[in-house]
Amino acid sequence: MAHKRLPRVVYEFLDGAAEDEMTLAANRSAFDAYTFRPRHAVSMAQCDLRTTVLGSEVSFPVLLAPVGCTRVMHHEGEIGIARAAGAAGTIYILPTASGHLLEDVMAAASGPLWYQLYLIGGREAAEAVLARAENVGFSALVVTIDTPVAGMRERDFRNGLKELASRNPLAKIPFLPQLLAHPGWLVNFFLDGGAPTLPNIIIPGRGPVPLLDVGASLARSAVTWNDFSWIRQVWHGPIIVKGVLTGDDARRAVDHGAVAVVVSNHGGRQLDSVPASLEVLPEVVEAVGSQIEVLMDGGIRRGTDVVKAICLGARAVLIGRAYAYGLSAAGTAGVARALEILRADVERTLRLLGCPSVAALDGSYLNPKHSQ
Ligand SMILES: Cc1cc2nc3c(=O)[nH]c(=O)nc-3n(C[C@H](O)[C@H](O)[C@H](O)COP(=O)(O)O)c2cc1C
């Protein structure tokens, strides 16, 4: 439905990934390397899907990853996502590239919200936004470390995303046919204000960052391990490091004060040809799993994917595109539907496996990995 509802340039921004999209494909096919070892003829009245993540109870082990620019996909954007996540009893991680004010997102939320940090606008802008996030009750900070520059998303390049977002009105003319072919999206986009900014990132003396400046500002303000002592001074809650793909980086994250890591390759949107998240999950669990919680994302589309990741040691998984497709299709209701589908999938999978709860999942429910 998202494919039908969105102009191509917007849909492919969501759906696409970096360069040859090898990591994007690997994120999916990695799940095929594992098969289940079910325990049949086990009777279960109910399966318990609950777990805790950093002490917060979630109704099932699926969190909503930070996905930037969702207000362009659907005008309800981050507010709709926060509503649906809270109603489903799980956590939403609000991206730095949010199109809605973080205070408004918090006001709409009924569950815990975490804040994802990029240093767009430098330390001064970040300090201001972190103080606001802490003040309104964001309960954890997710620092993304895999984005020193934006990856080369060739579909965006070919579609002319940069030209569409530019300030030159003439550059938008070639897009008219695809925009006019999606009148529902177009009307809502203009009723919503038309020219997206990142309202939470205020550059002193210059105001909010326009969406089209994000790439350039990212390249000027990459996060490094040296930033963590400053981050710990300005953020007093738990810190999670997102974008870990090796045991070494996971250990570094622990050394710099992380209480959890997200094994992630950014949904294949950054460095192409890095391994699938699921592939490196066991290495990271082996390195730091006894000290901190390990989360993972990348390629989760079905309940069986969620269950396999948990069997391999993830505390919970994050989904990105899976809920963003839902948002694009039907706003808040679409995100709710995507979560419902996944929840029903996880429950059915546990029953078919003969496993009473998410807490009881472990490697004994999987056959050893076979080469593809
Ligand atoms: C359109 C889009 C925008 C994203 N924006 C961000 C972002 O601003 N910050 C971030 O840490 N990750 C971002 N991600 C990565 C997601 O947090 C997550 O790692 C990824 O989507 C997981 O893969 P999946 O889409 O296969 O579930 C984005 C992903 C997509 C698809």
Side-chain angles (χ1 to χ4, degrees):
M1 281 173 76
H3 187 226
K4 224 161 60 187
R5 297 254 164 113
L6 294 177
R8 191 181 71 214
V9 61
V10 180
Y11 178 74
E12 296 218 319
F13 164 72
L14 160 58
D15 191 55
E19 301 188 17
D20 291 313
E21 302 190 342
M22 303 218 306
T23 296
L24 176 73
N27 273 352
R28 287 290 311 129
S29 62
F31 289 97
D32 302 345
Y34 292 93
T35 54
F36 287 120
R37 292 176 68 80
R39 299 175 193 175
H40 286 152
V42 180
S43 133
M44 266 175 307
Q46 266 180 348
C47 285
D48 188 353
L49 304 190
R50 289 169 304 171
T51 189
T52 61
V53 181
L54 298 183
S56 290
E57 185 174 297
V58 289
S59 69
F60 76 131
V62 175
L63 279 53
L64 283 76
V67 170
C69 310
T70 51
R71 192 168 174 172
V72 177
M73 300 166 201
H74 189 282
H75 58 283
E76 289 170 352
E78 296 80 8
I79 288 185
I81 300 164
R83 280 204 179 109
T90 189
I91 297 167
Y92 170 43
I93 306 163
L94 184 74
T96 284
S98 167
H100 285 282
L101 281 171
L102 63 88
E103 289 82 0
D104 294 346
V105 179
M106 181 53 86
S110 56
L113 293 181
W114 297 353
Y115 189 79
Q116 178 264 327
L117 183 71
Y118 282 144
L119 291 183
I120 297 173
R123 284 191 177 189
E124 211 178 327
E127 280 179 21
V129 85
L130 291 181
R132 284 167 51 207
E134 206 164 77
N135 194 32
V136 298
F138 281 76
S139 53
L141 181 69
V142 175
V143 182
T144 302
I145 60 166
D146 59 14
T147 311
V149 293
M152 178 47 172
R153 321 226 172 107
E154 291 186 1
R155 291 201 234 174
D156 294 348
F157 182 72
R158 280 193 295 270
N159 288 332
L161 185 63
K162 210 160 118 201
E163 288 72 26
L164 180 66
S166 80
R167 290 183 181 90
N168 174 9
L170 292 180
K172 302 187 199 302
I173 291 173
F175 294 92
L176 282 178
Q178 60 167 296
L179 297 183
L180 292 172
H182 296 87
W185 177 87
L186 193 60
V187 167
N188 281 324
F189 181 72
F190 279 111
L191 289 177
D192 194 40
T197 62
L198 304 184
N200 295 310
I201 315 302
I202 315 285
I203 310 285
R206 293 218 319 257
V209 175
L211 197 54
L212 65 120
D213 291 348
V214 167
S217 352
L218 266 176
R220 283 194 302 271
S221 39
V223 179
T224 70
W225 294 116
N226 290 333
D227 291 309
F228 277 75
S229 57
W230 158 73
I231 292 172
R232 286 202 313 275
Q233 277 166 24
V234 295
W235 176 265
H236 308 99
I239 294 173
I240 298 144
V241 171
K242 174 172 181 280
V244 165
L245 288 172
T246 62
D248 286 344
D249 267 356
R251 279 186 283 268
R252 242 166 247 134
V254 173
D255 292 344
H256 287 83
V259 295
V261 289
V262 185
V263 177
S264 172
N265 50 38
H266 216 111
R269 298 165 73 82
Q270 286 299 107
L271 179 61
D272 196 21
S273 267
V274 293
S277 307
L278 193 79
E279 166 115 35
V280 294
L281 175 63
E283 174 183 328
V284 173
V285 169
E286 165 83 26
V288 298
S290 60
Q291 295 165 275
I292 61 168
E293 292 184 6
V294 177
L295 308 172
M296 75 77 81
D297 72 23
I300 302 281
R301 302 288 183 273
R302 289 185 178 277
T304 47
D305 304 334
V306 178
V307 170
K308 286 178 185 178
I310 291 176
C311 287
L312 290 174
R315 182 89 194 170
V317 303
L318 278 50
I319 53 169
R321 293 181 185 82
Y323 80 78
Y325 294 136
L327 179 83
S328 306
T332 310
V335 179
R337 183 78 186 110
L339 290 169
E340 230 172 75
I341 292 170
L342 266 179
R343 180 199 303 280
D345 253 18
V346 172
E347 168 142 31
R348 186 186 326 103
T349 304
L350 284 189
R351 284 169 169 264
L352 289 170
L353 263 183
C355 177
S357 65
V358 162
L361 285 171
D362 62 21
S364 68
Y365 287 94
L366 293 180
N367 285 305
K369 186 179 170 187
H370 63 80
S371 51
Q372 292 172 59

